[in-house]
Amino acid sequence: MPTLYHHPMSSASRFVRLILAEYGYQTDLIEEQTWEKRRDFLALNPAGTLPVYVDDSMRALCGASVISEYLDETHGVLKRDRRLLAEDPFQRAEIRRLTEWFMQKMENDVTKPLARERVYKLQMTSDQGGGAPDSKILRTARANIRQHMRYLTWLAGSRQWLAGERMSYADLAAAASVSILDYLGEIEWAEAPVVKEWYQRLKSRPSFRPMLTERVRGLTPVSHYADLDF
């Protein structure tokens, strides 16, 4: 069986897990603490980043964008109306644009700094960069949430799904990041009802269920995290 090296608070890892689940492909999951810089993991991906997908032939694919493109070319093309990357070139470009927005811009602005300060640093030793959260980084990331929630509100309010008429990689990429922020209790849902309705649709899908049951060591999620009608 293929193996996915991941971390539950990695939005890129969650994105790939959602794709695999939507396409009905099972993988063994190995939680990787990238700050440990394990030699065996670095042999798979010298960059030391997540996720890493190892297929049945022990070939490693590194990074969410690479893995998602591979899964589309090997599995998505067979799914027809369930394909997560459209066949129309312009629509594919829009899906890729939004996927990049959530996996890169939102990741750097919001998700990564919050996950690092509130989760990763609690699990690191002082030599690895662990310690108390940096309040300045937290304030900046939390201020950035508002911009991204406004953009999500516009997308979800003007389209059936974020990139168009069908659910796509764009929705899964956004939901991967939003789910981490929701776990941490960083989203004021009363201020974003349109995004809440969109997220409820994603959260109710079978592909989401495994992630909703997971818990990060030493950090309990907000009470509504696993509630489909929150």
Side-chain angles (χ1 to χ4, degrees):
M1 183 180 293
T3 300
L4 184 72
Y5 291 81
H6 79 112
H7 190 281
M9 288 289 107
S10 158
S11 59
S13 297
R14 287 188 171 218
F15 173 47
V16 170
R17 289 179 64 185
L18 288 170
I19 295 171
L20 290 166
E22 286 290 336
Y23 283 158
Y25 287 92
Q26 295 184 340
T27 59
D28 286 331
L29 295 175
I30 296 179
E31 184 174 327
E32 187 67 34
Q33 317 287 346
T34 55
W35 51 88
E36 294 179 354
K37 300 181 180 179
R38 289 194 312 112
R39 181 175 300 178
D40 289 346
F41 179 68
L42 292 175
L44 293 173
N45 182 15
T49 56
L50 293 171
V52 174
Y53 178 82
V54 181
D55 70 8
D56 288 327
S57 300
M58 298 303 294
R59 298 174 299 185
L61 297 168
C62 306
S65 61
V66 172
I67 298 169
S68 64
E69 291 288 339
Y70 171 82
L71 293 175
D72 177 69
E73 292 172 359
T74 56
H75 303 317
V77 293
L78 306 176
K79 297 300 181 179
R80 296 187 178 181
D81 60 334
R82 291 180 53 230
R83 189 177 184 181
L84 296 168
L85 193 56
E87 295 182 8
D88 175 74
F90 185 84
Q91 190 64 29
R92 288 169 72 88
E94 176 65 356
I95 292 170
R96 287 186 174 113
R97 181 186 73 83
L98 289 173
T99 300
E100 182 177 289
W101 176 280
F102 296 113
M103 287 289 97
Q104 293 188 27
K105 182 167 178 55
M106 187 171 181
E107 172 76 0
N108 292 327
D109 287 352
V110 178
T111 319
K112 185 176 180 178
L114 286 175
R116 177 178 172 80
E117 296 301 318
R118 294 197 54 194
V119 183
Y120 299 158
K121 288 176 72 171
L122 298 178
Q123 301 176 0
M124 296 174 177
T125 65
S126 57
D127 291 340
Q128 294 168 335
D134 186 315
S135 60
K136 182 178 180 180
I137 293 176
L138 290 176
R139 284 196 302 272
T140 301
R142 285 166 175 160
N144 289 336
I145 291 175
R146 300 187 186 96
Q147 170 197 358
H148 290 279
M149 294 302 286
R150 284 196 295 268
Y151 190 40
L152 267 170
T153 295
W154 181 83
L155 290 170
S158 60
R159 302 171 175 183
Q160 186 169 345
W161 294 94
L162 297 187
E165 297 301 312
R166 286 164 45 179
M167 187 183 73
S168 70
Y169 279 172
D171 296 279
L172 301 187
S177 290
V178 168
S179 64
I180 291 175
L181 300 179
D182 190 41
Y183 187 104
L184 298 174
E186 294 287 354
I187 298 178
E188 295 291 340
W189 287 114
E191 299 176 3
V194 175
V195 180
K196 180 179 179 180
E197 190 276 332
W198 161 83
Y199 182 54
Q200 284 177 315
R201 284 191 286 158
L202 270 295
K203 193 177 182 181
S204 299
R205 297 183 68 82
S207 61
F208 241 90
R209 290 172 189 164
M211 292 193 301
L212 294 177
T213 62
E214 291 179 352
R215 297 295 179 266
V216 177
R217 176 169 49 89
L219 185 63
T220 304
V222 293
S223 59
H224 66 256
Y225 174 68
D227 188 354
L228 302 182
D229 186 21
F230 64 103

